[in-house]
Amino acid sequence: MLAFALRRLLAAIPVLFAISVLVFLIFFATPGVDPAARIAGRNADPATLAQVRHTFGLDRPLPVRYLLLMKHLLISRDLESFVNRGSRVVPQITHAMPVTLSLVLGAAVIWLIAGVLMGTAAAALRGTLVDPLIMLVGVIGVSLPVYWLGEVVNLFTQNRLHDSVFAWVPPLGYVGLTDDPGQWALHLLFPWLTLAALYAGIYARVLRSELVAALNEDYVRTARAKGVSERRILIRHALRCSLIPVVSLFGLDIGALIGGAALLTEVVFGLPGVGKLTYDALQNVDLPVIMGTVLYAAFFVVLANALVDVVYAKLDPRARHV
């Protein structure tokens, strides 16, 4: 198992390299476009353009430009924004990362627990009224756009009912976990619930479908014939196999969200995470920041996929030999 995990993590390195090359080519080798003008931002003066060309070696061959970019981004970590002069890209990302990790990981715990409970209950109670009711709740959660749900939550918790029912809710923003754990949780409570509402329904539907299929498999019939209780069959036999697609889905979702896909939630709740940083960079056409956040997102997506493969192999040992 350890050898498989190491092999899978090492396989992620060439993928990251390929992504970095692709991002570099998109930003630096698009035909007919001056990369200096794109990096310097709108209405840049000639002195700024000259500085960009010197910093990124734009008069040198493409491989040298690529190495210079990677050096600024990964080694010297001094890649600078030319829209917000003086601000460096890497410190901005590392400063925003804890906010995004706090938001996504907290929401993931909620949606995973809710999704597994809902999906298992729906499968166990299939044929009764509870099953479609649970699925209906899931569909409602999936159907509500996160930006709309977030605005409605803010309307009640920050405005209409803030002086009565929700007087305990702090203003929008973020407090670090190490600064005040209680305020950290309070500031993130409604962002967690809002983000989790979208994904819990998806996971519940996927898990229910897998469980219903698993409960009709031959090994389940054999277990029933041996007198194993339905509860034990559901939890010990069917649920283990049914979690495999859920794990795959979870890895993709968590990687994308940590990589910045939680943008709308961060914007609505005023959280200064990576998604919000990317949103601001797109608004200002701040290319160095966009490049940095794209590579950051790619790193977490690839890492999440590698970890998913390891968990997959743990649940199904046959995957170790693929």
Side-chain angles (χ1 to χ4, degrees):
M1 186 63 200
L2 181 61
F4 173 82
L6 288 174
R7 196 166 64 246
R8 186 61 189 84
L9 291 174
L10 287 175
I13 294 175
V15 177
L16 287 171
F17 171 71
I19 292 173
S20 69
V21 171
L22 182 63
V23 171
F24 165 77
L25 292 175
I26 290 173
F27 286 110
F28 283 85
T30 305
V33 177
D34 180 8
R38 298 176 69 182
I39 294 172
R42 299 188 183 102
N43 305 319
D45 56 70
T48 303
L49 290 172
Q51 186 182 350
V52 171
R53 291 193 177 94
H54 172 72
T55 302
F56 292 95
L58 296 182
D59 56 344
R60 304 169 76 176
L62 277 178
V64 178
R65 295 189 208 175
Y66 171 79
L67 292 175
L68 274 174
L69 175 64
M70 291 299 114
K71 172 179 172 291
H72 285 301
L73 196 58
L74 303 176
I75 299 175
S76 58
R77 298 158 62 91
D78 59 353
L79 184 63
E80 186 179 337
S81 165
F82 287 88
V83 175
N84 298 313
R85 296 301 296 267
S87 61
R88 293 188 170 180
V89 173
V90 176
Q92 287 187 72
I93 294 174
T94 53
H95 185 71
M97 200 185 306
V99 183
T100 299
L101 287 173
S102 298
L103 169 65
V104 175
L105 295 180
V109 171
I110 295 173
W111 91 56
L112 202 55
I113 292 174
V116 170
L117 289 177
M118 290 168 65
T120 306
L125 300 171
R126 64 190 183 285
T128 69
L129 185 61
V130 179
D131 179 16
L133 280 177
I134 292 175
M135 289 300 99
L136 179 63
V137 171
V139 170
I140 292 173
V142 174
S143 305
L144 298 178
V146 70
Y147 58 86
W148 179 84
L149 183 59
E151 288 294 353
V152 171
V153 168
N154 284 339
L155 177 67
F156 286 101
T157 60
Q158 298 291 334
N159 189 356
R160 299 284 177 82
L161 302 177
H162 186 260
D163 294 332
S164 54
V165 180
F166 296 109
W168 52 274
V169 177
L172 298 181
Y174 177 77
V175 173
L177 174 62
T178 54
D179 296 331
D180 188 334
Q183 284 298 313
W184 171 80
L186 276 179
H187 278 80
L188 288 170
L189 178 60
F190 287 105
W192 283 339
L193 294 174
T194 302
L195 190 58
L198 170 64
Y199 289 92
I202 299 173
Y203 282 66
R205 293 184 68 83
V206 170
L207 184 60
R208 181 200 175 277
S209 174
E210 293 294 326
L211 273 172
V212 169
L215 289 172
N216 291 318
E217 293 288 339
D218 290 339
Y219 69 89
V220 170
R221 293 195 190 96
T222 304
R224 285 197 183 104
K226 290 181 177 178
V228 180
S229 68
E230 282 295 324
R231 183 177 179 182
R232 187 178 176 84
I233 289 172
L234 179 69
I235 304 298
R236 295 292 299 273
H237 297 277
L239 185 58
R240 180 186 174 96
C241 297
S242 302
L243 282 176
I244 292 174
V246 173
V247 168
S248 300
L249 188 63
F250 182 74
L252 293 173
D253 288 337
I254 202 84
L257 287 170
I258 291 177
L263 180 153
L264 292 176
T265 311
E266 292 180 1
V267 171
V268 169
F269 289 99
L271 299 171
V274 176
K276 179 70 163 52
L277 178 66
T278 308
Y279 174 80
D280 292 339
L282 290 169
Q283 293 281 88
N284 299 318
V285 198
D286 194 343
L287 217 59
V289 176
I290 296 172
M291 280 191 295
T293 54
V294 168
L295 290 175
Y296 158 88
F299 171 78
F300 276 102
V301 170
V302 173
L303 178 65
N305 275 285
L307 293 177
V308 163
D309 285 348
V310 174
V311 176
Y312 194 105
K314 181 69 177 175
L315 291 171
D316 184 357
R318 292 173 298 178
R320 301 174 197 175
H321 306 293
V322 175

